[in-house]
Each structure stands twice: as structure tokens, then as C-alpha cells.
Amino acid sequence: MSEIEYIELRTVLDSRGNPTVEADVYVEDGFGRFSAPSGASRGKNEVVPFPKGGVEEGIEFFMDNVLEELVGMDGAYQEEVDSLLKEVDGTPNFSKMGGNVAVAVSVALAKAVADARDLPLFRYIGGLLNPSIPYPFGNVLGGGKHAVGGTVIQEFLSIALEGDAFERIYANALVHREVKEALKKRFPDAAIGKGDEGAWTAKLSDEEALSIVKGAVEKVSDDMGLRMAVGLDLAASEFYRKGRYHYSDRSLSPEEQIYFVAELVDRYSLYSVEDPLQEEDFKGFAQLTEEIGGRCLVIGDDLFVTNPGRLKKGIEMGAANAVLVKLNQIGTLTDTLRTVKLAHSAGYKTVVSHRSGETEDPTIAHLAVGVGALGIKTGAVGGERTAKLNELVRIEEEL
Ligand code: PGA
Ligand code: ZN
């Protein structure tokens, strides 16, 4: 028994300088802390991060309505605690408590119980006999909602597919550096900036950006002797309006978009394409997966929003072959694990992901290893990103 003794919530900053919530959970002989991140290109079907009145209103709701119910419960019954959080909130999308308040408590609780048992979180979550280090997906160049004046496609990612944990994360960091060198050459007189996740941003067309990242990945891959690849997160809902996908120089119909993405996959040997179509187009996703799913990951982020119900529909329709996993899209650890389990049982791959507004919390590294995810998408550089990447190095040591 790991009796819940007390829970404290506080408002802290995320990496964009916005308020977010941090939870401290005390159980008998154990302590856990988790702070919740926040997205900018959020899916329409995610739970809401905070109630209308913001972080403070969410914390107040929790203190007034939930705390008393949880104190004295056995913290090892994660599912019961998570059901109670949903029940007391009483809305389908955590609009009273805020999904970020729920997720902070839910994950901090698991960390507290793991601590009481003297286990690292990845062991407590997974109990896997042979856990392995996931491939890091590092955003090195981008735009969309994460950067002013950048590319239309949100993220161009470097993916290290070989090496130990440090070699993999270092390879992505070197690609990030190579991209800077390429941008300096391309824009000798212009200032070059970074977006919210630390990826470079510049006034480039999407195809120019892709060829710069492809070149950088090939160079680092050769230099280090590691297999590497390029991935995209199009975040296509963000540039879909009135039935068309709007690029800087043209707009595409859904049919043309499918053709365009399939062509990019072949031309650049892409390893993954995330959200290549808008978040309600399950059919279009299925069509694209049919075409390229044999040679490329088709990842649903805004499409599935880590929601087991939406994933189930997607699996039935053959809408993708991989799912992005973000704890605060669904609000509890239990539902997140449910989604992962469902994905793996259908042969879908999983990629555990950060949000664009992050905290220095390293926990998602444990989630990724614990569930046996194929990948972890958590940036390439920057303190709130390297917090997770460096944790992978420590976890590998423990393995
Ligand atoms: P976010 O988006 O800004 O909502 O965190 C990141 C992503 O689309 O993967
Ligand atoms: Zn995404």
C-alpha cells in the first residue's frame, strides 16, 4: 500500500514563459513531481490544458473538489485515481480542472509510488524485461505555429537510428549545427532565428528546408558512421482552410496533398510523416497509408490526440501506422497507457512526444522507455529538450 498523504500544486513557467502547473505528490515513503507542458499547435480534440480562468482556477478546482477525495487512497491504484480525476471534473475534456492539472497529478503520483518502491519510473511503468532506448526525433528546422516567418511545414526532423543513447542525441545536435552552417551560407546577411522548440527558422520554402536538412543529416550520418534519416511533422491542420492546403506559393486539394506528400517520401527517403493531412481526414490518411505505409511511418498526432477512441477508429480504417503520444492531450497516465497498448496490439508504432512549450521535467524519457516506444520526439538542443535527452543517457546506464 502506498497511501496518498498529500498533494501540493503550484504555478511555474514553461519554456515560452507561460504559466503552467507543477504537482508534488507525497505517498507513504515516496515523493513524485511532474510539471505539465503546453502545446501551440494543439489538436481540436485534445482535452483543454486549463479552465477558462487559467492555471489558478484549475488549481483551485482541484484543491476544493479533488484533494480530499484522494488523500488516504492507495496510490498504487493508478487507474482508480485517474478515473476519479475524470469523474470529479465531470466534463469530457477536463474543462473544469484542466487536463494539465489532471496530468500533473496523475504522473507525479506514478513517480511517487515508483519512488516508494525504489524503482525508476520506466521500470514501474513498463516492467519490461528488455527495455531499449528509443530513436530520438529532433526538430532542427521549422516554422508553422512555432516560429514567426518560418516554413509552412512545422517541423523538419533529424532521426538517429543507430548508436548508443549519447551518440544518437549527439548526432541530432550535430545536424542542428550543420543546418545553421547551411543557413549562414544561404543567407550571408540575414539574421537567423530559432522557434519555440529550438529548431532553426528562416525564410525558406518547404522544399528548400527539406533539402538543407537532408544534406545535413547525410553529412553527419557519414561523419559519424551512423544510420540516420529525415522526418516531417506537417501539422497540416494549421494550414488547411476551406478545403485546401495553403503553401507559400500555391494551394493543394486534399488529393494533391496526398500525392505531394507521397512524392516527398520517395524523393527524400523520409522515415516519417506526421499529420500530413488535417485532423479530421481519416479517409485521406488511410489512402496515404495505403500508398506509403510500407516504407514510411505515417504518424497521427492531432488526428488521434492520444485518445484511445480516436485511435480505435483509425486502426479500423487503416488511417496510419504510428501514433504520437502526448500525456497532456488526454490528461491521465492511465488513458495514455491505454492508447499505447492499443497501438502496439494493432502493430502501430509509438513515438512519445514533448510539447512546444516544455518544462525542464525529464519524465517523458521514462515513459518512452517504459512503454517500449519506437521513438521519442523531444527536440535536439535547449535545456528543456536536453533534460529529456540526457535522461535517456542515464536510463541506458541503468539498463
Ligand atoms: P505543439 O505541437 O505545439 O502542440 O506541442 C507539437 C506537434 O505538433 O507535434
Ligand atoms: Zn505534431
Side-chain angles (χ1 to χ4, degrees), residues 16 38-43 46 145-146 154-155 197 233 235 274-275 301-302 324 326 353-357 377:
R16 265 194 288 258
S38 287
S41 81
R42 291 209 309 270
E46 296 186 20
K145 277 259 165 93
H146 296 166
Q154 183 176 280
E155 299 168 22
E197 295 181 354
D233 179 4
E274 179 181 332
D275 285 348
D301 170 15
D302 294 348
L324 205 75
K326 292 169 169 169
S353 171
H354 65 170
R355 302 303 305 245
S356 49
K377 185 174 96 155

Side-chain angles (χ1 to χ4, degrees), residues 250-311:
R250 60 186 177 151
S251 79
L252 301 179
S253 71
E255 277 300 320
E256 290 164 341
Q257 172 78 355
I258 290 171
Y259 182 81
F260 172 58
V261 173
E263 199 187 63
L264 291 182
V265 167
D266 288 335
R267 192 136 39 94
Y268 295 91
S269 309
L270 297 181
Y271 185 80
S272 61
V273 288
E274 179 181 332
D275 285 348
L277 296 159
Q278 57 98 356
E279 62 206 318
E280 301 299 349
D281 191 4
F282 281 83
K283 261 197 180 152
F285 263 84
Q287 203 181 319
L288 182 66
T289 303
E290 167 113 21
E291 249 171 74
I292 59 164
R295 53 188 181 280
C296 179
L297 290 182
V298 179
I299 307 176
D301 170 15
D302 294 348
L303 179 73
F304 297 136
V305 291
T306 316
N307 181 313
R310 286 182 71 89
L311 177 60

Side-chain angles (χ1 to χ4, degrees), residues 105-271:
V105 171
S106 181
V107 176
L109 174 66
K111 289 174 80 174
V113 176
D115 181 44
R117 296 180 182 184
D118 235 349
L119 288 173
L121 186 68
F122 75 89
R123 292 261 183 228
Y124 177 59
I125 287 177
L128 288 178
L129 287 178
N130 283 318
S132 63
I133 298 297
Y135 301 140
F137 288 46
N139 184 5
V140 292
L141 180 60
K145 277 259 165 93
H146 296 166
V148 181
T151 49
V152 173
I153 290 178
Q154 183 176 280
E155 299 168 22
F156 298 79
L157 301 135
S158 165
I159 307 165
L161 299 165
E162 270 178 4
D164 62 24
F166 180 74
E167 286 169 329
R168 291 181 197 180
I169 65 173
Y170 190 43
N172 284 353
L174 288 177
V175 171
H176 186 267
R177 194 182 300 173
E178 280 302 324
V179 168
K180 178 176 78 176
E181 295 307 319
L183 292 176
K184 268 168 40 185
K185 267 193 210 135
R186 169 78 175 69
F187 301 102
D189 299 317
I192 296 159
K194 282 185 190 176
D196 288 348
E197 295 181 354
W200 298 107
T201 188
K203 203 115 208 88
L204 291 167
S205 75
D206 293 291
E207 288 224 35
E208 265 183 302
L210 188 46
S211 89
I212 285 176
V213 172
K214 179 80 180 168
V217 163
E218 278 174 351
K219 174 160 194 315
V220 173
S221 170
D222 283 351
D223 289 353
M224 288 189 73
L226 295 179
R227 205 156 61 85
M228 298 182 72
V230 177
L232 295 179
D233 179 4
L234 289 92
S237 294
E238 301 295 344
F239 56 94
Y240 177 77
R241 282 181 305 275
K242 298 195 177 138
R244 297 182 73 82
Y245 294 91
H246 295 268
Y247 291 89
S248 49
D249 52 346
R250 60 186 177 151
S251 79
L252 301 179
S253 71
E255 277 300 320
E256 290 164 341
Q257 172 78 355
I258 290 171
Y259 182 81
F260 172 58
V261 173
E263 199 187 63
L264 291 182
V265 167
D266 288 335
R267 192 136 39 94
Y268 295 91
S269 309
L270 297 181
Y271 185 80

